[in-house]
Each structure stands twice: as C-alpha cells, then as structure tokens.
Amino acid sequence: MKPIQVGILGIGTVGSGVFNVLQRNQEEITRRAGRGIEVTMVSRRNVAEAQALVGDKAHVVADARAIIANPEIDIVVELIGGYTLAKELVLEAIAAGKHVVTANKALLAVHGTEIFAAAHAKGVMVAFEAAVAGGIPIIKSLREGLTANSIQWVAGIINGTTNFILSEMRDKGLDFAVVLKEAQRLGYAEADPTFDIEGVDAAHKLTLMSAIAFGIPVQFDKAYIEGITQLGAQDIKYAEQLGYRIKLLGITKRTAAGVELRVHPSLVPSKRLIANVEGAMNAVVVQGDAVGTTLYYGKGAGSEPTASAVIADLVDITRLHTADPAHRVPYLAFQHHSMSDLPVLPMGDVVTSYYLRLRVADQAGVLATVTGLLASADISIDAVLQREADEIGGEGATQTDVIILTHDCTESRMNAALAQMQALPTVLAPITRIRKEELA
Ligand code: HSE
C-alpha cells in the first residue's frame, strides 16, 4: 500500500526529530502501522535552513499553505506554535480534509472547542499527544489506558523549565531571580520565559488533561494560575524542614460541586515519588477509582522525546483513518455528544491545606493572636514552626518567622483569615501562602 504522506508545517527542533526518528525506525514503525509513513513536504520561512534538516528527502516550501493545498498530503503536522497563524492553518487543513497532529497546547487549550467541532464536522482526526508532557504518553493513558476508571484527580509537574528552577533553588539555596538568569544562560529557560514561570504553559497542558479526564470542554479561561516568581529560597528551606518539597503542580480534581482546575506552587510530602522529580523532567500522577494511583514520568520537551509523541499520533491516524469516524477514539476521550457540563469551580470554592509564613514581631502574645484568628475562622492547625529571631535577623533581632501548616479549608475562608492576620500590627511583611497537597 502507498505510504501515508505527511507534511510538517514549521520544521525546526521537533520537526527534524520527527523526520529523523521516522527515517531511523522506518521498518519497525511500518510493521506497527501496517503502512509506511513518509514526510514528503516540510515548510519553514527560511527554505535553506529547512533543506539542511531534511536534505533531498522531502520537498521544502516557504509557504505552509502549499502543503495544505497538496492533495497528496494525508496528515498535516502543525509545529508552528502560537495562536494566530497556527489556528488559521489548522482550520484550513481540516477544511481541506487533512488529519492534523499538533504539539500546540496553547492553541488547543484556548481554541480547542472550535477546532474539535470543525474536525468532527469534517470527519478528520486531531491528535495532540505531544502537546502535554512531551514524550510521556499521558494523553493516550488518560484517554484509553484508563478508560475503565472514574478519574478522581490528576496532578502533574508539566513544565520542565520551572521544575529545573525549583530544583536549583532547593539544591543551591538561591532565590528565583538568580536561578532564572542561570537557566537562561544554560538554555533551560527561554529569553522570554513568561509563559513558563507564570504557570501559563502548565495551565494550557492541565486544561487539556482535565477535559480528557472528566469529559468536559477545554476551558483555559477558567483555570486558576499562579507561577513561581514570588517563591523565596527560605520557603523552600522551611518546607524541607517540615518534610515537604515545593513543586509547581497542575491539579485538576473532580468534586461533587464541580471540577478544580488550578496551577500553583504546592507543598508535596517529600516521600511522594512526584516530589522527587528533579531538573527539567515531567511527571503526572493520576488517581482512578479502579486502578488507584498511577505515575507517568519522562522528558517533557526536546527534539526526539516530543517526536516520539508526534509519531505515535501519526501511527494512530494511519491505523484508524479508514475507520468510520463515529467509531474512532474521540478527541477528548468521551463521545462528542456525551460531554459533561460539570462546572469548573471558582478558586474560592477549592478546598486544600496551606503553608503560611508570617514575618512577625518577636514579642509575647503574637503567636496566640495569630492562632486565635485561625481558630475563630474554624481553620485547624496541623503544625507550627517558629524560627529563633537570631537565625532570621542576627544577634538581638526583634523579628522572626512563624510557619504554620493548616488542615483543609476553602480558599475563600483562608483569604478572609489572611486579610485579618495581615492587618495585625505585629505582622511585619506580606504573608506567604503556599497551598499544600498530600496526594495520598
Ligand atoms: N516550555 C515547556 C517546558 C516545554 O519548560 O516544559 C514545552 O511545553
């Protein structure tokens, strides 16, 4: 049978990985797919650069639309990134009857509903394994491997840049800004790292996992997002002393009232496997009612790890594209007409426990006043750690840090209690609040 023809829009690091792995493992991939898979066209504005990546083995064009217009192309791989051009090209490819593979988490998290509807109407597939956690097959695991389960929650380290920064902060006791500069110098963080460090990239990926886990539409605009820019080295150290690591987690959880969808720094017990995921690695924990807890770990970025995910989608499409569209695996795991309208909860309704650090005057009654406020808000304390004033400010210091771990309460209740504590004259600096997840 004629090999399936693939066109790559925007060949670069990932695209050349796809090209190379397909070439290298051609024989095995063909045996698995039942048919050859060939990249026959690639696009890049700078044609000479693209030519250097693919030699004479694929036709190189500057205009991505030339690939979409070619009737020989069966599958379009979108690796351009961003929202505008990528969205236009994906919709044009769908309209032209092409199946689409994309690594573009931002595009699908924000415009997924429109894109999946267009693909459904046209009877083509949109596959996006590479959009979440790079080489880890988490989309397929959630959508297919765990399909027997009622999924209860998903928690992941799904941004390698921030995990690298947090690992360095912990190892070297350095503050965020110092480590970010070093990460940029080493090429671990991009020149504009905003999406990574502000938690936006993780929220894009979490939005996709949440939709697949719970059968809800993609709703990036409802995600609560907090990055790591405010984290201080001292909080990482105190957390460590209390038996926790601080990780930027994406958490989505099903509750009776709705779905939690949130990205923020979290204290995780040091003994959990996910707490020990270091450097730029990614990991996702999924809790299903039948299977219990499962953990997926691997490289979340890079040329061949991401290519591994793109090619898995190419093989899936090659196997399934002749199947009746109604009997293919649904894009978001649940049948198109059986999506749930379970609401995404506002952050105020989220229930979690907390780490609080208060810089206070070192004088009688301060701790009692603070704990009294928590008690009157019906927030139960789990542990308290008070540093000696000397450790904080040197000999004769009059300030100290009080660290409090609480039991579960709603975010809105905690916000009200924090406002009262912050107003105390003996609380001398903005209170640090980090959410805590036991992930038991
Ligand atoms: N910038 C992402 C990360 C990789 O740092 O994990 C691509 O999503």
Side-chain angles (χ1 to χ4, degrees):
M1 199 189 288
K2 187 173 159 232
I4 204 138
Q5 311 273 298
V6 178
I8 297 179
L9 315 185
I11 192 159
T13 310
V14 175
S16 59
V18 172
F19 190 81
N20 293 335
V21 175
L22 273 176
Q23 298 257 320
R24 189 170 74 231
N25 297 341
Q26 191 174 34
E27 196 253 337
E28 280 191 72
I29 290 170
T30 306
R31 281 166 55 210
R32 290 186 173 123
R35 188 173 168 188
I37 299 175
E38 282 180 4
V39 175
T40 53
M41 264 184 112
V42 301
S43 77
R44 180 168 169 140
R45 276 211 195 99
N46 186 327
V47 170
E49 284 174 5
Q51 204 78 63
L53 295 174
V54 299
D56 58 4
K57 297 212 169 68
H59 179 45
V60 180
V61 290
D63 178 12
R65 289 192 164 89
I67 297 179
I68 295 170
N70 183 345
E72 294 294 313
I73 296 290
D74 303 295
I75 308 175
V76 161
V77 179
E78 184 275 306
L79 297 174
I80 290 172
Y83 302 99
T84 316
L85 179 61
K87 183 183 175 201
E88 284 170 24
L89 294 173
V90 163
L91 289 173
E92 286 172 28
I94 290 169
K98 316 283 188 205
H99 302 292
V100 173
V101 174
T102 179
N104 192 335
K105 62 235 64 169
L107 176 67
L108 291 182
V110 175
H111 299 296
T113 302
E114 182 184 349
I115 289 168
F116 294 130
H120 180 73
K122 197 73 190 177
V124 296
M125 286 176 263
V126 174
F128 52 95
E129 184 65 69
V132 182
I136 306 174
I138 188 62
I139 297 297
K140 199 167 182 81
S141 299
L142 283 169
R143 199 180 53 200
E144 294 165 56
L146 298 175
T147 200
N149 290 263
S150 171
I151 292 175
Q152 289 150 344
W153 52 260
V154 179
I157 295 172
I158 43 181
N159 183 270
T161 305
T162 44
N163 202 53
F164 173 82
I165 293 173
L166 292 176
S167 296
E168 289 288 291
M169 286 173 73
R170 185 176 77 85
D171 281 353
K172 301 185 177 156
L174 296 173
D175 269 318
F176 169 77
V178 179
V179 177
L180 173 62
K181 278 219 177 68
E182 181 65 359
Q184 284 173 312
R185 198 182 63 76
L186 293 170
Y188 283 107
E190 301 192 25
D192 179 0
T194 314
F195 265 28
D196 292 320
I197 62 177
E198 298 293 357
V200 177
D201 174 73
H204 287 145
K205 295 166 181 167
L206 182 71
T207 300
L208 294 173
M209 291 200 290
S210 180
I212 291 175
F214 305 123
I216 57 172
V218 288
Q219 295 166 80
F220 173 71
D221 56 334
K222 304 221 174 100
Y224 173 82
I225 309 172
E226 192 181 303
I228 63 166
T229 55
Q230 302 305 318
L231 277 179
Q234 75 273 43
D235 293 311
I236 293 178
K237 193 179 71 188
Y238 293 149
E240 197 87 1
Q241 289 168 5
L242 290 157
Y244 292 85
R245 298 259 167 95
I246 297 181
K247 294 291 180 190
L248 183 70
L249 289 188
I251 301 167
T252 187
K253 197 180 278 184
R254 187 204 303 260
T255 74
V259 172
E260 296 180 7
L261 184 63
R262 50 194 172 98
V263 171
H264 50 71
S266 306
L267 270 76
V268 181
S270 308
K271 62 186 178 206
R272 300 268 178 270
L273 286 172
I274 195 169
N276 294 281
V277 171
E278 300 292 359
M281 300 303 281
N282 281 199
V284 181
V285 182
V286 183
Q287 170 82 25
D289 67 337
V291 72
T293 305
T294 53
L295 170 72
Y296 308 81
Y297 168 83
K299 289 187 179 151
S303 176
E304 293 207 357
T306 311
S308 167
V310 169
I311 295 170
D313 282 344
L314 292 175
V315 170
D316 262 0
I317 293 175
T318 303
R319 285 171 175 154
L320 294 171
H321 84 127
T322 52
D324 167 7
H327 293 100
R328 292 183 191 144
V329 180
Y331 315 112
L332 293 179
F334 289 71
Q335 296 297 336
H336 196 68
H337 50 76
S338 301
M339 298 296 278
S340 160
D341 56 6
L342 204 58
V344 173
L345 293 174
M347 194 59 191
D349 292 353
V350 163
V351 176
T352 187
S353 54
Y354 294 86
Y355 161 103
L356 308 175
R357 177 171 57 80
L358 295 82
R359 176 59 58 91
V360 294
D362 192 16
Q363 63 193 48
V366 172
L367 191 56
T369 312
V370 167
T371 53
L373 279 177
L374 286 170
S376 58
D378 201 21
I379 297 171
S380 170
I381 293 172
D382 181 27
V384 177
L385 176 70
Q386 178 167 349
R387 308 312 306 164
E388 286 181 29
D390 288 3
E391 272 181 58
I392 308 298
E395 188 100 9
T398 55
Q399 305 180 0
T400 190
D401 277 344
V402 171
I403 295 99
I404 299 172
L405 299 185
T406 74
H407 289 296
D408 280 352
C409 69
T410 61
E411 179 94 357
S412 53
R413 185 186 295 252
M414 178 52 78
N415 287 344
L418 277 174
Q420 287 184 309
M421 288 190 275
Q422 192 67 73
L424 294 170
T426 45
V427 173
L428 305 174
I431 300 171
T432 298
R433 168 253 304 271
I434 306 174
R435 298 165 190 90
K436 181 161 83 64
E437 300 294 330
E438 291 299 323
L439 302 182

